[in-house]
């Protein structure tokens, strides 16, 4: 075994896929999740893929005493990957205090305990929302951090600042901040995937649910943006590709492959795809229609953003390899499994 890693939010969408990649690469995983936006059955999917069940605690990262109990029971934890957070842009505009409490207090608790328990590596799940609407596309890690367009985006900016200030103050651990673009798709086995509770906040599960007949039609928020077809443009990255970057980041710190105490990387494909283009690609890749309607713009949405992933490609040796068509097919395969399991 390589060592033991704590994954917060590990039964969530990205957390579960990262747990699979960590276990497949030889790490032992301890998961903390409050199951507010996930399901404990995800653990069974992880077992079916990897043959190993991660240690699981149902608890909230805002409960510092509970966090400390977990760390005191696993004194050999070498790294933390912190996913646990509220993450819906639209909801954050409506419920800002929920987002500031959940996303910031949890990080402070973890950073304080990282020092106490001599944990060497801290990998943080950040977001391209920290860039706001960039002046230059594709966006690099050196782009200015613009005022956030949503409380969710603001919590990611604040959390990055907290990590930076903690590191610069001499904290005895190293951190890698990974700025995601838009994760989509599912594990190719269809054993795990995106599992929204209630009405999906993200585009792809709403798209697949519409294609499956669960939703009447998909809402496209705006067709009057300054883009070729008027809909927003994003950089859609396969969730398994994304998960693999976290293993590389943990390896990099624990193997002392860098002298830097803080590094930041964009994780994206480098290609911008509009919402309407994504819907058309899904229909072509699966042969299934997904009815949609154009509605008003959604508060907090950025017009267009896609990554320049060159830094991650060169320094981490990581790159997105899955095609958009295969990624959308994996999302549809996952949706079909969910529908058949009911």
């Amino acid at each position: 075994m390589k060592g033991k890693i704590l994954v917060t939010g590990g039964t969530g969408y990205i957390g579960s896929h990262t747990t699979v990649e960590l276990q497949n690469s030889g790490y032992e995983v301890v998961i903390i999740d409050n199951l507010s936006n996930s399901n404990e059955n995800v653990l069974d999917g992880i077992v079916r893929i990897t043959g190993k069940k991660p240690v699981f605690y149902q608890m909230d990262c805002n409960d510092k005493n509970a966090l400390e109990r977990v760390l005191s029971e696993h004194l050999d934890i070498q790294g933390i990957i912190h996913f646990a957070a509220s993450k819906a842009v639209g909801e954050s505009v409506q419920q800002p205090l929920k987002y500031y409490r959940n996303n910031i207090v949890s990080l402070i608790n973890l950073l304080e305990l990282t020092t106490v328990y001599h944990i060497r590596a801290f990998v943080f799940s950040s977001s391209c929302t920290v860039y706001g609407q960039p002046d230059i596309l594709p966006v690099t890690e050196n782009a200015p951090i613009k005022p956030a367009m949503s409380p969710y985006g603001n919590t990611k900016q604040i959390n990055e600042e907290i990590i930076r200030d903690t590191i610069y103050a001499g904290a005895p651990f190293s951190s890698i901040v990974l700025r995601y673009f838009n994760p989509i798709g599912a594990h190719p086995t269809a054993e795990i995937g995106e599992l929204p509770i209630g009405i999906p906040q993200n585009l792809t599960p709403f798209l697949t649910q519409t294609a499956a007949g669960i939703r009447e039609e998909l809402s496209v928020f705006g067709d009057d943006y300054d883009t070729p077809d008027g809909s927003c443009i994003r950089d859609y990255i396969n969730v398994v590709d994304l998960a693999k970057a976290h293993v590389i980041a943990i390896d990099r710190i624990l193997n002392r492959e860098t002298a830097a105490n803080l590094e930041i990387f964009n994780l994206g494909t480098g290609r911008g795809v509009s919402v309407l283009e994504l819907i058309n690609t899904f229909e072509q890749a699966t042969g299934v229609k997904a009815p949609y309607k154009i509605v008003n713009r959604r508060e907090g949405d950025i017009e267009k953003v896609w990554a320049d992933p060159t830094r991650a490609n060169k320094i981490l040796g990581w790159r997105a390899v899955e095609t958009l068509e295969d990624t959308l097919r994996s999302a549809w395969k996952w949706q079909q499994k969910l529908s058949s399991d009911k």
Side-chain angles (χ1 to χ4, degrees):
M1 297 295 288
K2 284 182 173 181
K4 188 179 288 185
I5 305 298
L6 174 67
V7 179
T8 73
T11 58
Y13 177 42
I14 306 172
S16 60
H17 287 82
T18 299
T19 295
V20 164
E21 297 305 320
L22 285 166
Q23 291 192 164
N24 281 343
S25 70
Y27 284 105
E28 190 177 347
V29 176
V30 177
I31 288 175
I32 288 173
D33 202 302
N34 65 6
L35 301 181
S36 63
N37 195 36
S38 62
N39 191 303
E40 195 171 350
N41 293 338
V42 169
L43 298 171
D44 298 330
I46 293 171
V47 173
R48 287 193 290 270
I49 296 169
T50 67
K52 293 173 282 189
K53 188 169 187 176
V55 178
F56 173 68
Y57 294 88
Q58 183 179 348
M59 49 155 287
D60 197 303
C61 291
N62 286 315
D63 184 343
K64 189 176 180 182
N65 290 332
L67 267 180
E68 187 145 23
R69 284 196 298 273
V70 172
L71 292 174
S72 66
E73 290 175 16
H74 299 275
L75 295 173
D76 52 346
I77 286 174
Q78 294 181 298
I80 296 174
I81 304 179
H82 182 37
F83 294 108
S86 300
K87 63 181 181 66
V89 168
E91 183 188 56
S92 78
V93 175
Q94 303 300 321
Q95 300 182 52
L97 293 181
K98 170 184 174 180
Y99 276 69
Y100 287 116
R101 180 184 295 109
N102 284 354
N103 295 6
I104 294 173
V105 174
S106 60
L107 176 78
I108 292 170
N109 286 342
L110 283 164
L111 292 180
E112 287 175 345
L113 293 172
T114 295
T115 297
V116 171
Y117 285 89
H118 309 292
I119 295 167
R120 292 169 46 206
F122 191 91
V123 174
F124 180 62
S125 161
S126 191
S127 165
C128 65
T129 57
V130 302
Y131 297 117
Q133 179 57 63
D135 296 321
I136 299 172
L137 289 167
V139 63
T140 72
E141 292 85 351
N142 296 323
I145 302 299
K146 297 279 197 75
M149 296 183 70
S150 68
Y152 165 73
N154 200 27
T155 65
K156 291 299 184 184
Q157 289 184 0
I158 293 167
N159 281 352
E160 285 196 15
E161 291 168 358
I162 291 169
I163 292 168
R164 183 197 65 210
D165 291 345
T166 304
I167 293 285
Y168 289 175
F173 60 87
S174 296
S175 181
I176 291 180
V177 171
L178 299 174
R179 292 175 177 164
Y180 314 157
F181 282 68
N182 284 63
I184 63 170
H187 197 271
T189 61
E191 293 290 357
I192 57 173
E194 192 165 5
L195 191 65
I197 306 297
I199 298 174
Q201 299 288 331
N202 292 340
L203 172 60
T204 309
F206 210 116
L207 171 60
T208 58
Q209 287 186 12
T210 303
I214 298 168
R215 308 286 168 192
E216 186 177 342
E217 58 188 358
L218 172 70
S219 293
V220 175
F221 295 105
D223 65 348
D224 57 350
Y225 287 101
D226 183 20
T227 61
D229 62 20
S231 64
C232 290
I233 291 177
R234 296 290 183 269
D235 186 335
Y236 295 99
I237 178 174
N238 183 285
V239 68
V240 177
D241 280 340
L242 186 68
K244 289 175 178 176
H246 296 76
V247 182
I248 294 170
I250 282 287
D251 283 346
R252 181 170 172 80
I253 297 173
L254 295 183
N255 296 337
R256 303 188 188 281
E257 293 170 0
T258 175
N261 290 330
L262 176 63
E263 294 181 297
I264 297 173
F265 297 97
N266 285 340
L267 298 182
T269 66
R271 177 184 169 218
V273 175
S274 77
V275 173
L276 292 175
E277 186 183 351
L278 186 83
I279 296 169
N280 291 334
T281 304
F282 173 84
E283 292 181 343
Q284 291 166 10
T286 64
V288 182
K289 284 289 183 185
Y292 67 87
K293 64 177 177 180
I294 307 296
V295 298
N296 291 334
R297 294 184 181 192
R298 182 172 58 181
E299 199 172 359
D301 273 346
I302 293 164
E303 180 171 87
K304 50 190 169 186
V305 65
W306 63 92
D308 180 342
T310 303
R311 192 161 186 268
N313 298 163
K314 288 183 176 177
I315 296 175
L316 296 180
W318 169 90
R319 66 182 59 247
V321 296
E322 298 296 332
T323 67
L324 183 60
E325 289 79 5
D326 283 345
T327 299
L328 290 168
R329 276 190 283 265
S330 74
W332 178 235
K333 184 179 176 184
W334 166 244
Q335 180 63 58
Q336 290 175 299
K337 180 177 186 295
L338 289 177
S339 298
S340 67
D341 286 349
K342 288 184 177 177

